[in-house]
Amino acid sequence: MLELEFMTIEAWDEPLWARMERIYHEAFPRGAKTKAILRSMLHRGIGYLHTGVHHGEVVAMAVTGLVGNGADRILIIDYLTIEQKLRGSGIGTWMLKQLRAWAIREHGVKGIIIEAESGTTEAHQQRIQFWQHNGFVLTSYVHQYSMVPEPYQAMILPLDENTHVSDKGEELFRYIQAFHKVAYRKR
């Protein structure tokens, strides 16, 4: 695997965003949060950008946010992508390990939640398998947003032996929806 540097960005950095933007839009050509929304999330302290950099080039990036507080603090991975030509090389697993360590060290999170597109195509199954390979548990509940055509399922990675993992996908979507509501709010 490539030698990478992990960085977490808490304040908007336009030159760094310019280096990240290509792989963000390559992976999420429609439906992704706009630059203005991402910038607002960082400005309001509710979101973070993370990068994996190889020789000055951004080859991996993630957008995360925190929900809950105290013993109930959860990290939401909103987006995670690896440069297309490097997918399957272990960088995604490396990024998750970095995100996990950062979230525990800096915020004492008890779990990480993602929402994965629910589907039966090979691409859908490969994405779910990636998350499961990295310790995430898939819930059976399928959530249908009113404004998005694809259905989603929540997955959770417990980070504390006391974190209860249940098949309560509806409960996990309460965290996810709370994060999205705050992220899209202007102030």
Side-chain angles (χ1 to χ4, degrees):
M1 192 180 81
L2 301 175
E3 189 174 312
L4 300 169
E5 175 189 3
F6 178 78
M7 295 188 315
T8 295
I9 297 90
E10 297 183 20
W12 189 257
D13 181 330
E14 189 64 34
L16 182 57
W17 173 251
R19 294 170 39 214
M20 300 169 71
E21 190 171 21
R22 179 185 53 78
I23 65 172
Y24 178 69
H25 289 297
E26 176 184 89
F28 311 106
R30 59 183 174 76
K33 288 179 174 67
T34 65
K35 174 180 162 179
I37 291 170
L38 294 173
R39 186 175 40 231
S40 173
M41 288 170 54
L42 268 65
H43 178 71
R44 292 181 291 137
I46 61 165
Y48 304 89
L49 294 176
H50 310 271
T51 62
V53 178
H54 175 68
H55 295 306
E57 181 182 347
V58 174
V59 297
M61 63 89 57
V63 177
T64 65
L66 296 165
V67 293
N69 43 31
D72 199 27
R73 190 130 233 197
I74 300 287
L75 182 75
I76 304 279
I77 297 178
D78 201 17
Y79 301 99
L80 172 69
T81 189
I82 310 306
E83 186 167 3
Q84 192 166 354
K85 68 183 179 187
L86 297 173
R87 292 180 188 158
S89 66
I91 295 172
T93 296
W94 179 86
M95 277 292 285
L96 280 174
K97 286 179 182 174
Q98 304 308 307
L99 288 168
R100 177 184 177 156
W102 169 82
I104 292 170
R105 180 182 66 250
E106 299 295 324
H107 300 285
V109 301
K110 303 300 181 194
I112 300 175
I113 298 174
I114 61 109
E115 57 182 328
E117 283 184 34
S118 178
T120 57
T121 68
E122 186 176 333
H124 288 116
Q125 294 307 310
Q126 286 175 344
R127 283 193 286 270
I128 299 256
Q129 287 171 0
F130 165 78
W131 294 105
Q132 288 175 323
H133 170 77
N134 285 286
F136 284 78
V137 178
L138 180 67
T139 61
S140 61
Y141 170 73
V142 177
H143 186 79
Q144 183 66 60
Y145 289 104
S146 60
M147 304 297 281
V148 181
E150 304 88 13
Y152 285 86
Q153 287 176 274
M155 299 182 80
I156 185 168
L157 174 65
L159 299 178
D160 177 299
E161 63 274 352
N162 297 321
T163 301
H164 177 67
V165 177
S166 69
D167 192 25
K168 305 271 190 210
E170 296 99 328
E171 289 178 21
L172 298 181
F173 268 96
R174 280 196 272 277
Y175 285 109
I176 294 166
Q177 289 179 303
F179 170 70
H180 288 313
K181 183 178 180 180
V182 172
Y184 283 102
R185 189 178 307 145
K186 298 273 189 230
R187 294 194 181 263

